[in-house]
Amino acid sequence: MINHLPQQKNKQIPITSVAIGTCAPKAGESLQVIEDSNEAINWQTQVADVITDIDQLLAILELSHIKDELYVPQGFGLRVPKAFVAKMKKGDANDPLLLQVLPNKQEKTQVTGYVSDPLAENAHNPIKGLLHKYRSRVLVTVTGACAIHCRYCFRQHFDYQANLPKSDQLRLIQDYIRQHPEINEVILSGGDPLSVTNRRLFLWLQALEDLPQINTIRLHTRLPIVIPDRLDNELLDRLEHSRCRIVMVVHTNHANEIDNHTAKLLQHARQKGITLLNQTVLLAGVNDGLKQQVALSERLFEAGVLPYYLHLLDKVAGAAHFDIAQKQAIDLYWQMLAHLPGYLVPKLVQELPHKPFKTPVDLYHSDSAHLF
């Protein structure tokens, strides 16, 4: 999942919203919150009030004694919503949610093969803000902002400053899609596309809906998991009435990320006709065991979400300590096949540079295949 703010803007950035039909602010003016929805104000308040100070996070979790094991990164800093922190266990330095966001000294170790652009995305960036790697679909980096900085993020070094499309470039993206009639799906990504205001997001939706060739719009997002209140009524109503099929792919790595409040809002989204899928990254020490994977799939299903992808780690610089051997991943997957119904088993894949698809992992490349 994509979780990065541009380095020079890696600060607490208040995000407000503007009701549909109002004018955008002039340069230098602040956006005025004029929506009546308490839910909408609530999620934006949470985005603006994320934790970026390591001492504050450790104090909340009663873990100040582990500070010597950590470091303060200069670029891709700590950023985590309080709603996500509330799901962590106090006093547990190995909490699986905490490990995903807490900067570790191991990030400074340079490991051969772990690079800043592990998927070679810069080679598939024909115009600003658009990635065209797969034949029938394109990805648009709507924003570089995200409410959470996951330490394994494969785009933590991505040059968002050079790739953020401004509103006047919407037409350029539309023109590119028109010139490629094979494109029938657009993925809104980033950063996190749900970190932008409803007003801005709806502009993107309308621009894509205006293209007859587009039949599916996909949202890749972590916000419904880390700030579930982002699934406000205004957003869900707009998605429900889209001309296009709406697919929301959330990013969840551990069952503990889905508390009852999160599950309720995900279920509400599903009731609105939104297809909900989940992608998970296989992470050492977080979810690399059978118990964790079974619990995650079952919890997702309870919340109305189908497991979609189980990714091997993208080999991004600074995240090598999260990686596990491919053989270990395959062994785990065979166990999952034996313990879960088929519809709850995600596809085990890896994304490789210059491949026009996600590459299924060869399950028979393991001595454990014959055991099940």
Side-chain angles (χ1 to χ4, degrees), residues 24-317:
K26 297 179 181 178
E29 293 182 347
S30 298
L31 292 175
Q32 182 181 6
V33 180
I34 58 177
E35 292 176 306
D36 293 330
S37 170
N38 289 330
E39 290 177 323
I41 294 173
N42 185 41
W43 78 260
Q44 290 177 78
T45 300
Q46 293 181 61
V47 170
D49 193 30
V50 297
I51 295 174
T52 59
D53 181 78
I54 290 179
D55 288 328
Q56 180 187 6
L57 178 62
L58 295 180
I60 291 172
L61 295 175
E62 301 174 359
L63 289 170
S64 298
H65 61 283
I66 70 169
K67 186 176 180 180
D68 289 344
E69 303 172 19
L70 312 175
Y71 86 109
V72 180
Q74 296 301 310
F76 191 58
L78 172 72
R79 189 175 182 86
V80 56
K82 293 177 180 177
F84 194 69
V85 174
K87 300 174 185 178
M88 300 176 186
K89 183 179 178 181
K90 289 185 178 181
D92 185 0
N94 292 312
D95 180 273
L97 278 60
L98 176 63
L99 293 178
Q100 296 179 53
V101 301
L102 194 61
N104 189 294
K105 288 182 178 179
Q106 295 179 82
E107 294 180 22
K108 298 190 292 184
T109 303
Q110 295 184 356
V111 180
T112 302
Y114 293 80
V115 297
S116 60
D117 184 18
L119 305 184
E121 289 190 322
N122 292 329
H124 301 278
N125 190 197
I127 62 174
K128 190 172 184 177
L130 184 141
L131 299 173
H132 192 183
K133 184 176 179 181
Y134 303 141
R135 181 181 182 277
S136 64
R137 53 208 181 276
V138 292
L139 182 147
V140 179
T141 53
V142 174
T143 177
C146 188
I148 189 168
H149 283 180
C150 299
R151 306 315 304 171
Y152 53 87
C153 176
F154 73 93
R155 284 201 188 127
Q156 59 183 276
H157 308 290
F158 188 74
D159 187 1
Y160 285 103
Q161 286 295 91
N163 280 286
L164 288 184
K166 298 179 181 178
S167 57
D168 59 355
Q169 291 167 311
L170 267 172
R171 189 172 301 278
L172 294 178
I173 290 176
Q174 286 179 311
D175 290 343
Y176 180 91
I177 293 173
R178 288 191 187 99
Q179 293 163 12
H180 294 78
E182 72 276 11
I183 297 173
N184 57 33
E185 180 176 5
V186 176
I187 301 168
L188 297 182
S189 185
D192 194 309
L194 291 191
S195 68
V196 305
T197 62
N198 282 341
R199 176 181 178 274
R200 184 178 171 196
L201 180 63
F202 296 172
L203 289 175
W204 278 103
L205 291 174
Q206 187 61 57
L208 297 175
E209 291 165 346
D210 288 343
L211 300 171
Q213 72 195 76
I214 300 302
N215 55 43
T216 303
I217 298 174
R218 202 190 315 175
L219 299 161
H220 280 197
T221 177
R222 188 125 160 87
L223 250 76
I225 303 302
V226 301
I227 301 181
D229 292 309
R230 179 61 185 99
L231 296 177
D232 59 40
N233 290 330
E234 184 183 39
L235 171 64
L236 295 183
D237 288 345
R238 175 63 179 86
L239 296 179
E240 180 185 21
H241 293 98
S242 174
R243 176 189 68 76
C244 299
R245 293 188 294 264
I246 300 296
V247 178
M248 186 178 292
V249 182
V250 297
H251 177 178
T252 321
N253 294 319
H254 196 279
N256 291 358
E257 297 177 30
I258 306 177
D259 59 12
N260 290 337
H261 180 57
T262 305
K264 180 179 179 180
L265 288 170
L266 289 169
Q267 290 164 354
H268 187 205
R270 184 169 179 266
Q271 291 166 1
K272 291 287 189 177
I274 300 168
T275 299
L276 294 178
L277 305 174
N278 182 72
Q279 57 182 346
T280 296
V281 179
L282 196 51
L283 302 168
V286 173
N287 59 10
D288 55 344
L290 177 63
K291 180 180 178 180
Q292 292 91 338
Q293 287 296 330
V294 169
L296 174 58
S297 284
E298 292 178 342
R299 184 57 175 153
L300 285 166
F301 192 53
E302 291 172 355
V305 185
L306 278 179
Y308 177 41
Y309 279 137
L310 178 58
H311 286 271
L312 298 187
L313 182 78
D314 296 321
K315 296 186 181 297
V316 62

